Every structure is written in structure tokens, then in C-alpha cells.
Amino acid sequence: MNKPAQVWNQRYQAQPLAVDDAWLWQWQSLLPLPSGGQALDLGSGDGHETGALLALGWQVTAVDISEQALARCQAKHPPAHALLADARDLSALPAHSFALVIAHLSLHYFDQADTLKAFTGLQRLLTPSGLLLGSVNAEDDFNYGAPKDASNWATVLVDGLPKQFFTEAKLREALGPGFEILQLNKRQSLRYGAAKSVWDFAARVQA
Ligand SMILES: C[S@@+](CC[C@H](N)C(=O)[O-])C[C@H]1O[C@@H](n2cnc3c(N)ncnc32)[C@H](O)[C@@H]1O
């Protein structure tokens, strides 16, 4: 088992890891009508978004690198399909199979090459005009390890895990020409106690 998976398994043995901040609801006006559609919850953790998506009528595949997280997610949300996989290699999933991908705080653990690979991989999974909703650490997330200058793509080791902190320019680069950016907002989250600075984004695969 790789180091990040070990760290996340240990974290999920202690609960709760984060409060459910109902993050998905801010995107309500953008969400397509599920009509039995397929959604991917990438880095699902113990399933806050998986639960919300199921409640909305989506069929949900929950992907995480941590077995502990997936076991919890599956116990809380039995209809979800749980898949142990790394966000950088989702080749086990068929192309164009998801109308919606959620990546809530799960795409900020990689260097530049792996980040670009992960975002490109999501383009492959989404249907034409499919929607990606995500949230990543912002460059001024100082309470959670952001360096003074996050303008380069160096990762920072925080509590044994490599972390990436995004400037707006880096996030735009990650989304690349393959996604049309619909929304990009800096926000303070209180889900872990101390204020956390994040970029929330909504993007559509270029048709
Ligand atoms: C900050 S938690 C967010 C969990 C969940 N999305 C939520 O908002 O409650 C990050 C999650 O990403 C998962 N993760 C970290 N690196 C990953 C990777 N390379 N591939 C897939 N999942 C990963 C972790 O196991 C963890 O569950």
C-alpha cells in the first residue's frame, strides 16, 4: 500500500474527519437533472457528496485511494458503487460514462505533471458537455500548510502527505483548454474548524 493510502486509512480510523458542509448545494442551479444518470464522486471519503448525489437521484460511483474511506462510504450509502483507485489513473472506468464528476478537495495532492494527468483523465470520463464540480486548496490556505509563495508547482509535505496549493493561474492551467470554466470562486471553508481557503470551481467539457 502506498504512503498516502496509509495516511488516509489512519485518518479515517478516527472520526468524524470533517463536518458535512453541504458543499454540493451551492451548485444546485448548475446540476443537470439526473434522470438515472451516472455521477462520479472522486476522493469520496466517507461519502458526504455520495449521499447528496444519491438523494438527488444519481447513480453514484465513489472512488477513493483509502479502503477505510470506501468501507465507511459503502456502509453509509449501500446503493453506491465503491471503487478503490487513484485519481491519477482511472483507466478502469469507461470513457464518457459520467455526466457529472465531483472532486471535493481531492485533486490537490499532486505535482504539476500528475495534476494535469488527473484533470485530463476526468475529461476522458465525462460525457460531451459533462460537468466537473470541484474544490482545491488555495494559495493562501495558511492554516493548512500553504507556503509563502505557491506560484510554482512544488508540492509541500503536510502531516506526511504531499499537498498542492493553487493560485488561480495554476487552476486554470489544470483545467486547460479541454474545460470551459463556468465558475471559479475563492471561499473560506469552516469544515475542519480553522478557516480553510479554497477555490471552488465548476467546469464543462468543451463540446
Ligand atoms: C480532504 S478528503 C475529502 C473527502 C470528501 N470528498 C469530502 O469532501 O468529505 C480527501 C480525500 O481524497 C482521497 N484521496 C487522496 N489522494 C487520492 C488519490 N490519489 N486518489 C483518490 N483519492 C485520493 C483521500 O483518501 C480522502 O478521502
Short mmCIF file of all heavy atoms in Angstrom, two decimals, residues 164-205:
data_model
loop_
_atom_site.label_atom_id
_atom_site.label_comp_id
_atom_site.label_asym_id
_atom_site.label_seq_id
_atom_site.Cartn_x
_atom_site.Cartn_y
_atom_site.Cartn_z
N GLN A 164 -0.70 20.24 -2.76
CA GLN A 164 -0.56 21.31 -3.76
C GLN A 164 -1.46 22.45 -3.32
O GLN A 164 -2.57 22.22 -2.81
CB GLN A 164 -0.99 20.79 -5.13
CG GLN A 164 -0.80 21.74 -6.28
CD GLN A 164 0.67 22.08 -6.51
OE1 GLN A 164 1.09 23.22 -6.25
NE2 GLN A 164 1.46 21.11 -6.96
N PHE A 165 -1.00 23.69 -3.51
CA PHE A 165 -1.82 24.87 -3.21
C PHE A 165 -1.95 25.66 -4.50
O PHE A 165 -0.95 25.98 -5.15
CB PHE A 165 -1.17 25.69 -2.09
CG PHE A 165 -1.17 24.94 -0.78
CD1 PHE A 165 -0.11 24.09 -0.47
CD2 PHE A 165 -2.22 25.04 0.11
CE1 PHE A 165 -0.12 23.35 0.72
CE2 PHE A 165 -2.25 24.31 1.29
CZ PHE A 165 -1.18 23.47 1.59
N PHE A 166 -3.19 25.95 -4.88
CA PHE A 166 -3.46 26.50 -6.21
C PHE A 166 -3.62 28.02 -6.20
O PHE A 166 -4.40 28.56 -5.42
CB PHE A 166 -4.76 25.91 -6.77
CG PHE A 166 -4.62 24.50 -7.29
CD1 PHE A 166 -4.62 23.42 -6.42
CD2 PHE A 166 -4.46 24.24 -8.64
CE1 PHE A 166 -4.48 22.12 -6.88
CE2 PHE A 166 -4.32 22.96 -9.13
CZ PHE A 166 -4.33 21.89 -8.24
N THR A 167 -2.88 28.66 -7.11
CA THR A 167 -3.25 30.01 -7.49
C THR A 167 -4.33 29.87 -8.57
O THR A 167 -4.52 28.79 -9.13
CB THR A 167 -2.04 30.74 -8.11
OG1 THR A 167 -1.59 29.97 -9.23
CG2 THR A 167 -0.89 30.88 -7.11
N GLU A 168 -4.98 30.99 -8.86
CA GLU A 168 -5.99 30.93 -9.93
C GLU A 168 -5.35 30.49 -11.25
O GLU A 168 -5.92 29.69 -12.00
CB GLU A 168 -6.67 32.31 -10.10
CG GLU A 168 -7.72 32.29 -11.18
CD GLU A 168 -8.50 33.59 -11.28
OE1 GLU A 168 -8.42 34.42 -10.35
OE2 GLU A 168 -9.19 33.77 -12.30
N ALA A 169 -4.11 30.97 -11.49
CA ALA A 169 -3.44 30.63 -12.76
C ALA A 169 -3.17 29.13 -12.85
O ALA A 169 -3.35 28.51 -13.91
CB ALA A 169 -2.14 31.41 -12.86
N LYS A 170 -2.76 28.51 -11.74
CA LYS A 170 -2.48 27.07 -11.76
C LYS A 170 -3.76 26.27 -11.98
O LYS A 170 -3.78 25.28 -12.72
CB LYS A 170 -1.79 26.65 -10.45
CG LYS A 170 -0.31 27.02 -10.43
CD LYS A 170 0.25 27.11 -9.02
CE LYS A 170 0.31 25.79 -8.31
NZ LYS A 170 0.98 25.93 -6.98
N LEU A 171 -4.84 26.72 -11.36
CA LEU A 171 -6.12 26.00 -11.53
C LEU A 171 -6.60 26.12 -12.98
O LEU A 171 -7.06 25.14 -13.58
CB LEU A 171 -7.15 26.54 -10.55
CG LEU A 171 -8.50 25.84 -10.53
CD1 LEU A 171 -8.37 24.32 -10.40
CD2 LEU A 171 -9.37 26.38 -9.39
N ARG A 172 -6.44 27.31 -13.55
CA ARG A 172 -6.83 27.49 -14.96
C ARG A 172 -5.97 26.60 -15.86
O ARG A 172 -6.45 26.02 -16.83
CB ARG A 172 -6.70 28.96 -15.38
CG ARG A 172 -7.83 29.82 -14.83
CD ARG A 172 -7.74 31.25 -15.31
NE ARG A 172 -8.80 32.06 -14.73
CZ ARG A 172 -10.04 32.14 -15.23
NH1 ARG A 172 -10.35 31.49 -16.33
NH2 ARG A 172 -10.96 32.87 -14.62
N GLU A 173 -4.68 26.49 -15.53
CA GLU A 173 -3.79 25.63 -16.32
C GLU A 173 -4.24 24.16 -16.20
O GLU A 173 -4.25 23.43 -17.19
CB GLU A 173 -2.35 25.78 -15.81
CG GLU A 173 -1.36 24.94 -16.60
CD GLU A 173 0.08 25.02 -16.05
OE1 GLU A 173 0.40 25.98 -15.32
OE2 GLU A 173 0.85 24.10 -16.36
N ALA A 174 -4.61 23.75 -14.99
CA ALA A 174 -5.04 22.35 -14.79
C ALA A 174 -6.31 22.05 -15.58
O ALA A 174 -6.45 20.98 -16.17
CB ALA A 174 -5.26 22.10 -13.30
N LEU A 175 -7.22 22.98 -15.59
CA LEU A 175 -8.47 22.76 -16.34
C LEU A 175 -8.21 22.79 -17.84
O LEU A 175 -8.87 22.06 -18.61
CB LEU A 175 -9.51 23.81 -15.94
CG LEU A 175 -10.10 23.60 -14.54
CD1 LEU A 175 -10.76 24.85 -14.01
CD2 LEU A 175 -11.10 22.44 -14.55
N GLY A 176 -7.21 23.58 -18.24
CA GLY A 176 -6.74 23.56 -19.62
C GLY A 176 -7.80 23.92 -20.64
O GLY A 176 -8.90 24.33 -20.28
N PRO A 177 -7.47 23.74 -21.90
CA PRO A 177 -8.42 24.10 -22.95
C PRO A 177 -9.59 23.11 -23.05
O PRO A 177 -10.59 23.38 -23.70
CB PRO A 177 -7.58 24.07 -24.24
CG PRO A 177 -6.41 23.20 -23.92
CD PRO A 177 -6.18 23.26 -22.44
N GLY A 178 -9.45 21.96 -22.41
CA GLY A 178 -10.50 20.93 -22.52
C GLY A 178 -11.76 21.24 -21.74
O GLY A 178 -12.81 20.65 -21.99
N PHE A 179 -11.65 22.16 -20.78
CA PHE A 179 -12.82 22.53 -19.98
C PHE A 179 -13.18 23.99 -20.20
O PHE A 179 -12.30 24.86 -20.23
CB PHE A 179 -12.53 22.35 -18.49
CG PHE A 179 -12.57 20.92 -18.01
CD1 PHE A 179 -11.40 20.23 -17.75
CD2 PHE A 179 -13.79 20.28 -17.79
CE1 PHE A 179 -11.43 18.92 -17.28
CE2 PHE A 179 -13.83 18.97 -17.33
CZ PHE A 179 -12.65 18.28 -17.08
N GLU A 180 -14.46 24.25 -20.28
CA GLU A 180 -14.97 25.63 -20.25
C GLU A 180 -15.28 25.96 -18.79
O GLU A 180 -16.08 25.24 -18.15
CB GLU A 180 -16.25 25.73 -21.09
CG GLU A 180 -16.91 27.09 -21.02
CD GLU A 180 -18.37 27.07 -21.48
OE1 GLU A 180 -18.86 25.98 -21.87
OE2 GLU A 180 -19.01 28.13 -21.42
N ILE A 181 -14.64 26.99 -18.25
CA ILE A 181 -14.85 27.33 -16.84
C ILE A 181 -16.16 28.11 -16.70
O ILE A 181 -16.34 29.15 -17.33
CB ILE A 181 -13.67 28.15 -16.30
CG1 ILE A 181 -12.38 27.30 -16.37
CG2 ILE A 181 -13.93 28.59 -14.86
CD1 ILE A 181 -11.12 28.04 -15.99
N LEU A 182 -17.04 27.60 -15.86
CA LEU A 182 -18.33 28.26 -15.63
C LEU A 182 -18.27 29.14 -14.39
O LEU A 182 -18.85 30.23 -14.36
CB LEU A 182 -19.45 27.23 -15.45
CG LEU A 182 -19.60 26.19 -16.58
CD1 LEU A 182 -20.68 25.18 -16.22
CD2 LEU A 182 -19.92 26.88 -17.89
N GLN A 183 -17.59 28.66 -13.36
CA GLN A 183 -17.44 29.44 -12.13
C GLN A 183 -16.10 29.11 -11.50
O GLN A 183 -15.65 27.96 -11.54
CB GLN A 183 -18.56 29.11 -11.14
CG GLN A 183 -19.89 29.69 -11.52
CD GLN A 183 -20.90 29.57 -10.37
OE1 GLN A 183 -20.56 29.75 -9.20
NE2 GLN A 183 -22.13 29.26 -10.71
N LEU A 184 -15.51 30.13 -10.87
CA LEU A 184 -14.23 29.96 -10.18
C LEU A 184 -14.27 30.95 -9.03
O LEU A 184 -14.18 32.16 -9.25
CB LEU A 184 -13.11 30.30 -11.17
CG LEU A 184 -11.67 29.97 -10.87
CD1 LEU A 184 -11.50 28.51 -10.54
CD2 LEU A 184 -10.82 30.33 -12.08
N ASN A 185 -14.44 30.45 -7.81
CA ASN A 185 -14.66 31.35 -6.67
C ASN A 185 -13.73 31.00 -5.52
O ASN A 185 -13.66 29.83 -5.14
CB ASN A 185 -16.10 31.21 -6.11
CG ASN A 185 -17.14 31.27 -7.19
OD1 ASN A 185 -17.09 32.14 -8.04
ND2 ASN A 185 -18.08 30.33 -7.18
N LYS A 186 -13.09 31.99 -4.95
CA LYS A 186 -12.32 31.79 -3.71
C LYS A 186 -13.28 31.85 -2.54
O LYS A 186 -14.18 32.70 -2.50
CB LYS A 186 -11.26 32.90 -3.61
CG LYS A 186 -10.40 32.86 -2.37
CD LYS A 186 -9.23 31.93 -2.49
CE LYS A 186 -8.08 32.49 -3.26
NZ LYS A 186 -7.37 33.53 -2.51
N ARG A 187 -13.09 30.93 -1.58
CA ARG A 187 -14.03 30.85 -0.46
C ARG A 187 -13.30 30.41 0.80
O ARG A 187 -12.28 29.72 0.72
CB ARG A 187 -15.10 29.80 -0.81
CG ARG A 187 -16.25 29.65 0.15
CD ARG A 187 -17.28 28.66 -0.40
NE ARG A 187 -16.73 27.33 -0.60
CZ ARG A 187 -16.73 26.38 0.32
NH1 ARG A 187 -17.27 26.57 1.50
NH2 ARG A 187 -16.20 25.19 0.06
N GLN A 188 -13.83 30.78 1.94
CA GLN A 188 -13.32 30.28 3.23
C GLN A 188 -14.25 29.16 3.69
O GLN A 188 -15.46 29.36 3.79
CB GLN A 188 -13.33 31.39 4.28
CG GLN A 188 -12.42 32.56 3.97
CD GLN A 188 -10.95 32.21 4.16
OE1 GLN A 188 -10.57 31.76 5.23
NE2 GLN A 188 -10.15 32.41 3.12
N SER A 189 -13.66 28.00 3.96
CA SER A 189 -14.46 26.87 4.46
C SER A 189 -14.17 26.67 5.94
O SER A 189 -13.04 26.83 6.39
CB SER A 189 -14.07 25.61 3.70
OG SER A 189 -14.44 24.45 4.41
N LEU A 190 -15.20 26.28 6.70
CA LEU A 190 -15.01 26.04 8.14
C LEU A 190 -15.20 24.57 8.48
O LEU A 190 -15.37 24.21 9.64
CB LEU A 190 -15.99 26.90 8.94
CG LEU A 190 -15.71 28.40 8.87
CD1 LEU A 190 -16.81 29.20 9.57
CD2 LEU A 190 -14.35 28.74 9.47
N ARG A 191 -15.11 23.70 7.48
CA ARG A 191 -15.44 22.29 7.72
C ARG A 191 -14.45 21.57 8.64
O ARG A 191 -14.76 20.55 9.23
CB ARG A 191 -15.60 21.54 6.40
CG ARG A 191 -14.30 21.31 5.70
CD ARG A 191 -14.46 20.81 4.28
NE ARG A 191 -15.54 19.90 4.01
CZ ARG A 191 -15.37 18.63 3.62
NH1 ARG A 191 -14.18 18.11 3.53
NH2 ARG A 191 -16.40 17.89 3.33
N TYR A 192 -13.21 22.10 8.75
CA TYR A 192 -12.24 21.45 9.63
C TYR A 192 -11.96 22.25 10.89
O TYR A 192 -11.00 21.99 11.59
CB TYR A 192 -10.93 21.21 8.89
CG TYR A 192 -11.06 20.30 7.70
CD1 TYR A 192 -10.98 20.80 6.40
CD2 TYR A 192 -11.30 18.93 7.86
CE1 TYR A 192 -11.12 19.96 5.31
CE2 TYR A 192 -11.44 18.09 6.77
CZ TYR A 192 -11.36 18.62 5.50
OH TYR A 192 -11.50 17.79 4.41
N GLY A 193 -12.76 23.27 11.18
CA GLY A 193 -12.52 24.10 12.37
C GLY A 193 -11.93 25.43 11.95
O GLY A 193 -12.65 26.37 11.63
N ALA A 194 -10.58 25.52 11.91
CA ALA A 194 -9.95 26.77 11.49
C ALA A 194 -10.29 27.07 10.03
O ALA A 194 -10.51 26.14 9.23
CB ALA A 194 -8.43 26.66 11.65
N ALA A 195 -10.34 28.36 9.69
CA ALA A 195 -10.72 28.75 8.32
C ALA A 195 -9.76 28.15 7.30
O ALA A 195 -8.54 28.17 7.49
CB ALA A 195 -10.72 30.27 8.21
N LYS A 196 -10.34 27.61 6.26
CA LYS A 196 -9.57 26.99 5.18
C LYS A 196 -9.89 27.72 3.89
O LYS A 196 -11.06 27.91 3.56
CB LYS A 196 -9.96 25.51 5.07
CG LYS A 196 -9.36 24.81 3.90
CD LYS A 196 -9.54 23.30 3.96
CE LYS A 196 -8.80 22.68 2.79
NZ LYS A 196 -7.36 23.01 2.77
N SER A 197 -8.85 28.13 3.16
CA SER A 197 -9.06 28.87 1.92
C SER A 197 -9.05 27.91 0.73
O SER A 197 -8.10 27.14 0.55
CB SER A 197 -7.97 29.93 1.77
OG SER A 197 -8.22 30.71 0.63
N VAL A 198 -10.10 27.97 -0.05
CA VAL A 198 -10.24 27.04 -1.19
C VAL A 198 -10.71 27.78 -2.43
O VAL A 198 -11.33 28.85 -2.35
CB VAL A 198 -11.27 25.91 -0.89
CG1 VAL A 198 -10.83 25.05 0.28
CG2 VAL A 198 -12.67 26.47 -0.63
N TRP A 199 -10.40 27.17 -3.57
CA TRP A 199 -11.03 27.56 -4.83
C TRP A 199 -12.12 26.55 -5.13
O TRP A 199 -11.86 25.34 -5.20
CB TRP A 199 -10.01 27.51 -5.98
CG TRP A 199 -9.01 28.61 -5.99
CD1 TRP A 199 -7.69 28.53 -5.64
CD2 TRP A 199 -9.24 29.96 -6.42
NE1 TRP A 199 -7.09 29.75 -5.79
CE2 TRP A 199 -8.01 30.64 -6.27
CE3 TRP A 199 -10.35 30.66 -6.89
CZ2 TRP A 199 -7.87 31.99 -6.60
CZ3 TRP A 199 -10.20 32.00 -7.21
CH2 TRP A 199 -8.98 32.64 -7.06
N ASP A 200 -13.34 27.03 -5.30
CA ASP A 200 -14.43 26.19 -5.80
C ASP A 200 -14.55 26.44 -7.29
O ASP A 200 -14.43 27.60 -7.73
CB ASP A 200 -15.76 26.58 -5.14
CG ASP A 200 -15.87 26.09 -3.71
OD1 ASP A 200 -15.18 25.12 -3.34
OD2 ASP A 200 -16.67 26.68 -2.96
N PHE A 201 -14.78 25.40 -8.05
CA PHE A 201 -14.90 25.60 -9.50
C PHE A 201 -15.94 24.68 -10.12
O PHE A 201 -16.20 23.59 -9.64
CB PHE A 201 -13.55 25.41 -10.21
CG PHE A 201 -12.93 24.05 -10.02
CD1 PHE A 201 -13.16 23.03 -10.93
CD2 PHE A 201 -12.11 23.79 -8.92
CE1 PHE A 201 -12.59 21.78 -10.76
CE2 PHE A 201 -11.54 22.53 -8.74
CZ PHE A 201 -11.78 21.53 -9.66
N ALA A 202 -16.55 25.21 -11.17
CA ALA A 202 -17.48 24.43 -12.00
C ALA A 202 -16.99 24.57 -13.43
O ALA A 202 -16.69 25.68 -13.88
CB ALA A 202 -18.89 24.98 -11.86
N ALA A 203 -16.88 23.45 -14.12
CA ALA A 203 -16.37 23.50 -15.50
C ALA A 203 -17.07 22.43 -16.34
O ALA A 203 -17.44 21.37 -15.82
CB ALA A 203 -14.87 23.26 -15.49
N ARG A 204 -17.23 22.77 -17.59
CA ARG A 204 -17.92 21.85 -18.51
C ARG A 204 -16.93 21.38 -19.58
O ARG A 204 -16.12 22.18 -20.05
CB ARG A 204 -19.07 22.61 -19.17
CG ARG A 204 -20.15 21.73 -19.74
CD ARG A 204 -21.31 22.53 -20.31
NE ARG A 204 -22.18 23.16 -19.34
CZ ARG A 204 -22.96 22.53 -18.47
NH1 ARG A 204 -22.95 21.21 -18.42
NH2 ARG A 204 -23.74 23.19 -17.63
N VAL A 205 -16.99 20.10 -19.91
CA VAL A 205 -16.14 19.61 -21.00
C VAL A 205 -16.52 20.35 -22.28
O VAL A 205 -17.71 20.50 -22.57
CB VAL A 205 -16.34 18.09 -21.20
CG1 VAL A 205 -15.64 17.60 -22.46
CG2 VAL A 205 -15.82 17.32 -20.00
#
